[in-house]
Amino acid sequence: DQPRMVGYSYCRTCHAAYQRNRKAAVASDTWQPTGTKITTAKPKVLIVPYGEIMWAAGFLEGEGSFHRLRRSATVYASQTNREPLEHLQIYFGGNITGPRLRASSLGRKPIYSWTVSGHLAKRLVDIVAPHLSLRRQRQIRERMLEGAA
């Protein structure tokens, strides 16, 4: 099960056939992008233990990214190791995608990405933000909370 390279070239005939097949698969609700595995968005645990909150705060302090996309709060992290992202998903929900390789990543490990948005991201921020550094708390205020409707 090899991850595919992103940024490859294609011929018009092959691309047209792909688009027809994709359109039919989307219509029948069976389409999933190649090389991408999307898993459940709901957290598996509703009450997060304090130790897990502290672990998540430390992990997101170093690896996390906090944004507001359109009107939705979004938290993002990427890793070459899937296990920490699965750990976040168990307690905070979200989607894990990957493995994927960038076109310029010859000899590098594939990357997995975890994203949580909307009310789940707001819940995560409410739980984890008090345990983050002042710099990261300021970033969250500037990027996610100010200007929210």
Side-chain angles (χ1 to χ4, degrees):
D1 190 51
Q2 287 273 341
R4 71 176 176 86
M5 293 287 279
V6 176
Y8 60 92
S9 62
Y10 54 83
C11 72
R12 288 180 188 221
T13 306
C14 296
H15 185 66
Y18 168 78
Q19 291 294 352
R20 281 192 307 276
N21 292 337
R22 179 183 169 277
K23 195 174 196 178
V26 167
S28 66
D29 210 23
T30 60
W31 183 75
Q32 189 171 16
T34 306
T36 302
K37 294 178 180 147
I38 299 175
T39 52
T40 183
K42 295 180 183 176
K44 293 179 174 59
V45 177
L46 296 179
I47 298 173
V48 183
Y50 184 73
E52 300 301 330
I53 293 170
M54 298 306 287
W55 176 86
F59 184 81
L60 292 172
E61 178 75 36
E63 302 293 331
S65 177
F66 300 84
H67 299 282
R68 181 167 208 77
L69 300 174
R70 292 179 220 102
R71 294 183 181 186
S72 180
T74 303
V75 181
Y76 172 85
S78 62
Q79 278 271 306
T80 58
N81 188 0
R82 186 180 168 103
E83 286 78 19
L85 304 179
E86 289 172 345
H87 197 81
L88 285 170
Q89 186 183 41
I90 289 169
Y91 289 102
F92 301 106
N95 296 320
I96 298 174
T97 57
R100 67 177 166 81
L101 292 173
R102 285 183 249 150
S104 64
S105 63
L106 187 62
R108 292 190 179 190
K109 293 181 180 180
I111 298 171
Y112 296 91
S113 301
W114 171 78
T115 306
V116 65
S117 59
H119 71 280
L120 292 175
K122 177 78 170 91
R123 174 182 176 258
L124 169 65
V125 168
D126 290 344
I127 292 171
V128 173
H131 306 287
L132 297 173
S133 68
L134 293 176
R135 178 188 67 83
R136 194 59 105 169
Q137 289 177 13
R138 187 171 49 250
Q139 177 191 26
I140 290 170
R141 270 194 312 276
E142 291 170 356
R143 293 186 181 180
M144 293 182 74
L145 303 178
E146 291 181 2

